[in-house]
Amino acid sequence: PEPLKVTDLAPVDELERTVLVERHLISRELASSKRAGGVAVDDAESVAVMINEEDHLRMQVFAAGLQPAAAWQRAERLDDALIQRLPMAWSEEFGFLTSCPTNTGTGLRLSVMLHLPGLVWSEEIDKATNVAQKIHLAVRGLYGEGSRALGDFYQVSNQVTLGRDETQIQNDVMLAVSRMVQWEREVRGALLRGSARVRTLDRVQRALGTLERAQILTSEEALGCLSALRFGIAAGLLEGYE
């Protein structure tokens, strides 16, 4: 595995900890913890190992686009390397023994970040999250557990880690994600047809106007406007933006 730079969080101030949370490298729990803790990160910030969060070690691997298999392979290589050097709490019957029973077993949490402005604008997001929860998937906000959905971003992840192997978990999450993506595409299509198109275009242009002209923006308002801008670019309503 690639070399990781270890940072002791004890001397790191609150602002820098917040930046690490915003970059998804540490959790809010670790950022606010008073006990000794740290994080090991690679240069590309695509691998982060939290030290002394809820568990002694919590590994995270990120990949852009929808490539869960590639992310899992990297995580497994890192996992194997650590197991060779450290004693792990492991049971032949139950798998990894984690601090919280809900992570026992594989200990694998597969999360996919989705941008769902269509479902939010058409007020169908609650229906979509309820469907996901019925098949034991969690739908959370931008920063995971206990966080709100900022900028219409939602994390879809598995809740069950016991009695399911890694391939089954991957298949469960990917099936749900593909359905939510299809649902999002359908409602986006509806938002771009007929009388709804004018309202959608107005919403996108208002967001653009705010971003171009406003003097003071909160993070929440900025993310909301950027979400509308991203939707507008993807839908071909705006030109000249990457």
Side-chain angles (χ1 to χ4, degrees), residues 94-239:
F94 297 113
F96 289 106
L97 302 175
T98 51
S99 296
C100 182
T102 55
N103 295 323
T104 299
T106 59
L108 176 66
R109 180 85 65 227
L110 173 60
S111 298
V112 178
M113 188 80 79
L114 299 174
H115 184 225
L116 304 173
L119 287 168
V120 174
W121 295 6
S122 59
E123 298 182 352
E124 291 196 32
I125 191 66
D126 287 344
K127 201 188 297 181
T129 56
N130 287 338
V131 169
Q133 283 162 0
K134 281 177 184 170
I135 52 172
H136 306 297
L137 295 174
V139 181
R140 299 184 170 116
L142 187 60
Y143 297 110
E145 196 166 351
S147 67
R148 290 175 303 127
L150 298 171
D152 305 321
F153 280 100
Y154 289 83
Q155 270 188 45
V156 180
S157 56
N158 61 299
Q159 283 184 305
V160 179
T161 61
L162 183 63
R164 313 283 288 167
D165 67 25
E166 291 85 358
T167 305
Q168 289 172 316
I169 289 171
Q170 198 166 293
N171 291 342
D172 290 346
V173 174
M174 294 308 291
L175 180 63
V177 165
S178 64
R179 286 178 179 169
M180 288 186 85
V181 168
Q182 184 60 36
W183 199 344
E184 171 70 15
R185 285 183 174 144
E186 286 169 7
V187 293
R188 284 190 187 195
L191 287 169
L192 296 169
R193 289 193 297 270
S195 60
R197 185 180 178 88
V198 178
R199 287 195 298 275
T200 302
L201 189 57
D202 177 69
R203 192 164 184 161
V204 170
Q205 294 287 359
R206 280 175 186 270
L208 180 59
T210 301
L211 289 168
E212 286 181 336
R213 300 290 179 181
Q215 299 296 299
I216 298 169
L217 280 171
T218 62
S219 299
E220 191 168 343
E221 189 181 6
L223 282 166
C225 290
L226 287 166
S227 170
L229 189 66
R230 192 175 192 272
F231 176 95
I233 294 164
L237 300 175
L238 296 171
E239 291 179 359

Side-chain angles (χ1 to χ4, degrees), residues 76-87:
E76 193 172 31
R77 286 199 302 272
L78 181 58
D79 193 39
D80 290 344
L82 285 168
I83 285 172
Q84 287 170 16
R85 292 166 174 79
L86 298 168

